[in-house]
């Protein structure tokens, strides 16, 4: 199954954390990192703290959605991720954005990510990789770019 993961970090060496996270994603059982977007720097949204480094990764995986989410949380924990409060600064943040065209809404997992279409740090890197990306509920994501146009973001590489 094709899955899309958002990567972010704004504590410590964010570039190194994202590189290590990509290697960890590629090492998950039944999973292959297909490609990663450029790195982007973005200001925190609905939070305080240093700017984030962000990217989006495309995966091919045989892991079920819940198993993939658990693996993402384990990678975050291995990188010192703490959750003292909502939107706290973080050493690594991995979000399961999309899992094929599946729509999942459970207590522990919501896919597509409920705010993916409203965040420049998701839209810009995802549309860089897949300009015609189709959200399973909302259609072409490019239509949502204007909603995030006021969010500060800059491509780093």
């Amino acid at each position: 199954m094709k899955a899309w993961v958002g990567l972010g970090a704004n504590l410590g060496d964010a570039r190194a954390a994202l590189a290590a996270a990509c290697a960890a994603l590629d090492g998950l059982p039944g999973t292959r990192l297909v490609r990663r977007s450029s790195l982007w720097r973005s200001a925190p949204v609905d939070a305080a703290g240093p700017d984030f480094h962000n990217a989006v990764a495309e995966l091919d995986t045989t892991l079920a959605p819940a198993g993939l989410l658990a693996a993402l949380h384990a990678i975050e924990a291995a990188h010192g991720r703490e959750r003292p409060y909502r939107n706290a600064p973080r050493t690594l943040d991995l979000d399961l954005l999309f899992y094929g065209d599946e729509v999942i809404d459970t207590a522990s997992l919501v896919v597509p990510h409920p705010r993916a279409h409203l965040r420049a740090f998701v839209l810009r890197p995802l549309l860089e990789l897949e300009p015609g990306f189709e959200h399973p509920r909302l259609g072409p994501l490019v239509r949502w770019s204007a909603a995030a146009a006021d969010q500060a973001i800059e491509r780093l590489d």
Side-chain angles (χ1 to χ4, degrees):
M1 178 68 69
K2 184 182 286 194
W4 299 87
V5 175
L7 299 92
N10 71 337
L11 292 177
D13 187 341
R15 279 183 182 262
L18 297 187
C22 285
L25 290 170
D26 198 39
L28 292 175
T31 302
R32 180 176 64 89
L33 176 68
V34 177
R35 56 189 172 153
R36 188 211 79 189
S37 71
S38 300
L39 289 180
W40 296 77
R41 180 173 40 234
S42 66
V45 176
D46 298 331
D51 285 353
F52 277 87
H53 282 70
N54 301 98
V56 168
E58 177 187 352
L59 306 178
D60 276 335
T61 187
T62 60
L63 294 173
L68 181 55
L69 181 64
L72 298 181
H73 287 168
I75 293 169
E76 289 176 339
H79 284 85
R81 169 77 189 263
E82 296 178 358
R83 298 172 190 266
Y85 54 89
R86 182 173 166 79
N87 294 332
R90 54 208 72 158
T91 54
L92 183 63
D93 185 28
L94 300 175
D95 289 325
L96 181 53
L97 303 172
F98 297 93
Y99 187 85
D101 60 0
E102 289 193 28
V103 175
I104 303 165
D105 192 352
T106 68
S108 59
L109 178 60
V110 177
V111 173
H113 190 285
R115 292 172 302 284
H117 64 290
L118 301 173
R119 302 293 195 234
F121 61 82
V122 171
L123 290 171
R124 298 285 296 274
L126 180 57
L127 292 172
E128 171 194 334
L129 292 176
E130 196 74 32
F133 191 90
E134 293 272 336
H135 189 291
R137 286 190 166 161
L138 304 174
L141 272 185
V142 70
R143 288 192 273 174
W144 291 89
S145 295
D150 63 336
Q151 296 170 25
I153 186 167
E154 143 185 44
R155 187 175 172 172
L156 297 175
D157 65 10

